[in-house]
Amino acid sequence: MSVLEIKDLHVEVKDDEKKKMKEILKGVNLTLKTGEIHAIMGPNGTGKSTLSETIMGNPHYHVTQGDILLNGESILSMPVDERARKGLFLAMQYPAEVPGVTNAEFLRTTINVRRPKNDPMPITEFLKELDKNLDLLDMNEAMTERYLNEGFSGGEKKRNEILQLLMIKPQFAILDEIDSGLDIDALKVVARGVNAMRGDNFGSLIITHYQRLLNYIVPDVVHVMMGGRVVKDGGPELAKRLENEGYAGLRDELGLHIKLVDED
Amino acid sequence: MDEKAQLIKLSEENHEPSWLTKRREKAQEQISQLAMPKMEHFHPGDVDFANKSETICTNDASSENVTEDFETNLIQFGTDTIQTNLSPEMANKGVVLVDLFEAFRDLPDFMRKYFMTEVIKGDENKLNAEHLAYLNSGILLYIPKNVVLDDPIEVKLIQDSTKKLNWYQHLLIVADSNSSCRFLQHLTTVGEESNIANMMVEIIAKPGSHVEFSSVEELSKKTTFYFDRHANIEKDAHVEWAVGLMNSCDTLGEIDSELVGEGSYANSQLVSVTSDKQKYFINNRVTNRGPHSTGLINQRGVLLDQSKLIFNGIGQIVHGAHGSKADQQNRVLMMSPDARGDANPLLLIDENDVIAAHAASVGPVDPVQMNYLMSRGIPYDQAQRLVIRGFLGAVLDAVPDKDVRQKMIDILERKLINGQKYQAN
């Protein structure tokens, strides 16, 4: 079993307009084990994406306090590629487009950087694995010869993120608003992909605004984030309650003095 | 014997027609009076063409270390053509692919009409005059009327730097009306001597013809390279350039597409990678003369180490070329803080009813793309090479032959790995 621990994490980013640092995360604590699926819900502007980008190691985000441990080892000083090879994966909200590099070539590269230099995955094995996962995600084979995310629709990009997840097989996957911009059919396909990964060797942190996704990927634990902290933990029923009552109700019940971004 | 007398003697010994001997003699006299080629941001002396190598070949080439290769239609080693090999299909259709000096002997009237007369002239500048005077290697390709070739014509040109001899190499392509061909050339160097490579390409695209010219180039560091490539594109003819400058030497060069005919089309695409202390000065020029003509330029350069690159894109639409289109992109990617790159689009428009656009950029590798690739476990250097390949992809994709494209990518990969070693130090 592997463990990803986030301890008292404080993170700031540079505010491009005001040219000064702004604290987004103000002490996040969270423990995720393989075999578990956790969901993080919360209103806009509460630091959910900051948390996922910081775990993955995007250099844009600065940790000022606290730690992130993977199996007891701090990963804060590791660059993003090293964290990825250690077993972390982030399905991004806005995947970058990389023209000139085909999807298939990119996928092979991501697999082979995890293997010894003199032992790349045989091409037949790779293609077999690729076909299987394309089928699972109702993706056309032609997608693999297109350039990485270039000209992909929003839905195609999200499916492509899940295709990478299935090919790379990380220990921990963070899915950052994988449901945004998806219609219900695409949502089911994406959920099918994630559920296929479920098992003792896989843990996931699913970030979402809406409870809807959690009907298809049922989480073991639900965390609610507000004002840069985790303010409440619960089971899947917590997500259903938020869907009905909104975040303001929970905030008032907890006696928090946080202004929600979209509140009048 | 002085140089001029030597030149005349050599020309006669080669059984060259007398008009060619006279033209060489005149060019030789003009060398000292003519100026270096003019180019924006280039100052004579930026590239040193004052080379001490021999200009006249007096001994035999040593081509024993060049292996024959029957995939290739023609191989030249220095001043010698060591293999020509046209497919029966090409030969039956009347395609001509021969050593230039054989063409001077066997087709003197044809050569007198086309060789350095209407496309490139010997008195344009000092280097062109040297080329004509000292010409010592070349090829003629002729595609007859209505002949459409499915297979590309592949040529290997090997600079012989096992001895001190400058290389004056000339390719003449005449595509007759409504013909179609793809031409691929691969330039390399053998040997360690410091020589000049002064290379020219003339393309005459007759009405309705279609010519795709691709070039993979990896001349050695000790070479000093000058190239001049011009196409005259007649009515409804179509010329595409796809040039991969991967040479290791200092380079001064121009690609020039003259859209002389109505409805003519040129697409001039070029990628370059410079490393070490290399200097490249490149003009890419398209001139719309005919009405309804289309001229496209797409240049992409990657700079490593302490290299320097000037990309001038020149789109000119002359008065009378109504309904024409000129579009150009000049993009430069800086991989090193010590490199210097410049992308200069120049639009010279003397006609109202036209569409013209340009784009230019100079900048570092996109950090968003880098973060994305690295988040999948790809190490920094490898991710950087993928992004660069993507940057050059717009042009690499235009290379018609898959093997050639792969060859360009392999050379690119090698150059980038070496450049990244420099950055790490």
Side-chain angles (χ1 to χ4, degrees):
Chain A
M1 185 186 68
S2 293
V3 188
L4 180 66
E5 289 169 279
I6 291 125
K7 290 185 165 172
D8 189 31
L9 191 67
H10 291 249
V11 172
E12 53 181 34
V13 294
K14 195 169 177 185
D15 187 321
D16 284 336
E17 277 172 36
K18 292 175 187 158
K19 300 280 175 211
K20 53 182 194 187
M21 303 304 281
K22 185 183 176 199
E23 186 170 58
I24 308 285
L25 298 187
K26 300 168 182 172
V28 175
N29 288 288
L30 201 141
T31 300
L32 177 64
K33 295 173 183 153
T34 46
E36 296 175 353
I37 290 193
H38 292 214
I40 296 188
M41 302 186 70
N44 287 330
T46 204
K48 301 187 301 293
S49 287
T50 299
L51 177 63
S52 57
E53 293 283 359
T54 307
I55 296 172
M56 198 65 230
N58 185 331
H60 187 62
Y61 298 85
H62 302 276
V63 175
T64 55
Q65 193 180 318
D67 208 347
I68 305 171
L69 306 170
L70 181 61
N71 296 324
E73 181 188 16
S74 175
I75 61 169
L76 284 186
S77 62
M78 293 178 190
V80 53
D81 58 310
E82 191 178 347
R83 297 185 197 197
R85 293 194 301 274
K86 289 261 178 191
L88 300 186
F89 181 91
L90 171 62
M92 300 208 187
Q93 199 173 350
Y94 303 107
E97 299 189 2
V98 187
V101 180
T102 66
N103 228 348
E105 185 191 4
F106 168 66
L107 287 167
R108 276 197 83 197
T109 306
T110 62
I111 288 169
N112 288 333
V113 295
R114 288 167 168 78
R115 298 167 65 109
K117 262 211 166 69
N118 55 7
D119 181 33
M121 182 185 265
I123 187 89
T124 47
E125 189 184 333
F126 170 77
L127 290 175
K128 208 173 137 195
E129 188 69 21
L130 184 61
D131 282 348
K132 190 184 86 184
N133 291 323
L134 287 170
D135 275 356
L136 183 69
L137 298 176
D138 289 342
M139 283 171 79
N140 191 321
E141 207 172 320
M143 295 276 288
T144 63
E145 283 309 311
R146 285 170 64 184
Y147 291 144
L148 180 55
N149 294 327
E150 194 190 37
F152 283 26
S153 69
E156 285 174 332
K157 282 183 182 167
K158 295 297 171 72
R159 278 183 208 222
N160 207 34
E161 292 291 284
I162 302 302
L163 177 65
Q164 292 171 41
L165 171 72
L166 292 167
M167 295 298 289
I168 292 172
K169 301 185 179 62
Q171 292 178 61
F172 291 106
I174 306 157
L175 311 181
D176 190 2
E177 300 203 13
I178 197 76
D179 50 342
S180 70
L182 290 187
D183 61 32
I184 194 75
D185 296 325
L187 190 70
K188 286 181 184 170
V189 168
V190 163
R192 196 194 303 154
V194 177
N195 286 327
M197 288 292 297
R198 266 190 124 134
D200 292 344
N201 299 318
F202 178 71
S204 187
L205 196 59
I206 297 171
I207 291 171
T208 180
H209 279 293
Y210 303 106
Q211 189 269 335
R212 191 179 64 163
L213 175 66
L214 306 180
N215 288 335
Y216 301 100
I217 310 172
V218 180
D220 301 296
V221 184
V222 173
H223 308 279
V224 181
M225 266 183 83
M226 272 190 233
R229 288 189 190 89
V230 175
V231 296
K232 191 167 177 66
D233 301 327
E237 73 290 344
L238 178 58
K240 292 210 168 99
R241 187 187 143 196
L242 286 171
E243 186 80 1
N244 295 330
E245 297 176 13
Y247 292 106
L250 180 67
R251 175 195 60 183
D252 297 342
E253 180 193 304
L254 294 169
L256 297 169
H257 299 283
I258 296 165
K259 182 160 169 50
L260 301 178
V261 171
D262 299 320
E263 194 175 32
D264 290 322
Chain B
M1 190 164 27
D2 71 357
E3 193 180 71
K4 191 165 142 189
Q6 225 180 333
L7 201 67
I8 292 167
K9 183 168 170 273
L10 182 82
S11 183
E12 282 166 352
E13 277 172 9
N14 274 344
H15 305 288
E16 290 171 15
S18 59
W19 58 263
L20 180 60
T21 310
K22 285 198 188 86
R23 274 161 64 178
R24 280 166 169 278
E25 194 183 337
K26 189 175 164 215
Q28 199 267 348
E29 286 163 8
Q30 287 174 322
I31 292 170
S32 60
Q33 298 144 28
L34 289 166
M36 288 291 285
K38 284 191 182 56
M39 192 184 290
E40 289 279 321
H41 304 282
F42 168 75
H43 307 286
D46 283 347
V47 178
D48 183 13
F49 285 100
N51 182 287
K52 298 284 186 290
S53 289
E54 294 294 323
T55 50
I56 296 170
C57 178
T58 47
N59 48 6
D60 292 330
S62 46
S63 58
E64 66 267 11
N65 46 5
V66 179
T67 46
E68 297 211 342
D69 164 6
F70 294 101
E71 301 280 297
T72 304
N73 300 108
L74 189 148
I75 300 176
Q76 284 193 334
F77 180 79
T79 56
D80 283 4
T81 296
I82 57 174
Q83 174 188 318
T84 47
N85 170 37
L86 270 189
S87 71
E89 185 216 350
M90 290 175 184
N92 288 340
K93 285 178 171 171
V95 172
V96 176
L97 179 71
V98 291
D99 184 283
L100 198 71
F101 291 99
E102 197 180 319
F104 284 130
R105 283 193 293 269
D106 298 348
L107 304 162
D109 295 339
F110 181 93
M111 294 302 285
R112 187 175 196 172
K113 184 172 176 200
Y114 292 112
F115 173 74
M116 292 191 81
T117 51
E118 54 178 280
V119 187
I120 300 178
K121 294 183 181 70
D123 56 3
E124 284 171 25
N125 61 56
K126 184 191 273 300
L127 298 179
N128 285 20
E130 285 182 7
H131 182 91
L132 176 54
Y134 304 133
L135 179 76
N136 56 18
S137 166
I139 298 170
L140 165 69
L141 171 63
Y142 172 70
I143 313 289
K145 271 181 194 160
N146 303 320
V147 167
V148 174
L149 294 181
D150 296 325
D151 293 330
I153 290 173
E154 294 192 44
V155 163
K156 280 186 189 166
L157 302 174
I158 305 160
Q159 183 189 20
D160 178 8
S161 285
T162 61
K163 58 190 176 195
K164 290 195 75 62
L165 177 68
N166 291 334
W167 197 29
Y168 300 92
Q169 207 277 350
H170 197 100
L171 169 67
L172 173 62
I173 298 177
V174 181
D176 217 329
S177 306
N178 300 314
S179 67
S180 173
C181 72
R182 291 182 291 157
F183 180 89
L184 308 170
Q185 66 171 25
H186 186 193
L187 312 185
T188 51
T189 305
V190 170
E192 290 299 319
E193 295 292 346
S194 299
N195 289 318
I196 290 171
N198 178 329
M199 304 183 74
M200 291 196 178
V201 178
E202 293 186 279
I203 298 177
I204 294 151
K206 298 268 190 183
S209 66
H210 188 118
V211 179
E212 290 178 27
F213 174 93
S214 309
S215 186
V216 186
E217 313 185 7
E218 28 180 356
L219 298 177
S220 76
K221 190 175 170 178
K222 290 190 172 169
T223 301
T224 307
F225 187 27
Y226 171 67
F227 69 82
D228 192 2
R229 298 172 184 164
H230 281 220
N232 269 15
I233 308 167
E234 300 182 14
K235 188 176 187 306
D236 297 322
H238 185 122
V239 170
E240 298 213 19
W241 307 90
V243 172
L245 293 178
M246 312 274 174
N247 303 300
S248 303
C249 50
D250 290 349
T251 298
L252 172 67
E254 171 158 314
I255 301 179
D256 194 339
S257 307
E258 290 278 333
L259 295 162
V260 291
E262 183 169 1
S264 53
Y265 174 102
N267 189 2
S268 186
Q269 304 172 100
L270 182 149
V271 295
S272 79
V273 181
T274 49
S275 59
D276 213 340
K277 290 183 177 172
Q278 265 184 288
K279 289 182 278 187
Y280 274 24
F281 299 87
I282 307 297
N283 255 7
N284 204 330
R285 183 198 301 268
V286 176
T287 309
N288 298 72
R289 298 189 189 279
H292 305 289
S293 54
T294 302
L296 311 176
I297 295 172
N298 193 353
Q299 308 195 86
R300 308 228 165 177
V302 176
L303 284 94
L304 304 158
D305 312 346
Q306 300 176 56
S307 61
K308 177 175 175 173
L309 169 68
I310 302 290
F311 266 166
N312 296 316
I314 305 161
Q316 185 179 3
I317 301 182
V318 303
H319 186 66
H322 54 83
S324 288
K325 186 181 165 191
D327 187 282
Q328 59 168 294
Q329 279 190 36
N330 302 281
R331 296 191 190 280
V332 170
L333 195 59
M334 310 289 288
M335 302 287 298
S336 154
D338 304 326
R340 284 171 57 209
D342 213 347
N344 310 302
L346 298 161
L347 279 175
L348 309 162
I349 296 170
D350 200 14
E351 174 63 50
N352 293 320
D353 171 28
V354 298
I355 300 169
H358 65 87
S361 65
V362 177
V365 177
D366 181 0
V368 175
Q369 291 180 337
M370 285 298 291
N371 183 60
Y372 185 71
L373 295 174
M374 288 175 70
S375 79
R376 301 304 182 238
I378 301 174
Y380 184 88
D381 284 0
Q382 203 175 346
Q384 206 178 39
R385 295 199 297 274
L386 286 174
V387 173
I388 292 167
R389 174 121 60 82
F391 170 78
L392 299 178
V395 174
L396 292 178
D397 285 354
V399 177
D401 189 279
K402 203 175 171 184
D403 294 339
V404 176
R405 191 158 59 230
Q406 191 55 47
K407 193 172 267 165
M408 276 204 204
I409 290 171
D410 294 344
I411 299 166
L412 174 68
E413 201 82 347
R414 269 206 309 276
K415 265 203 116 164
L416 292 177
I417 288 170
N418 284 333
Q420 286 172 330
K421 278 184 199 144
Y422 167 87
Q423 275 174 283
N425 289 328

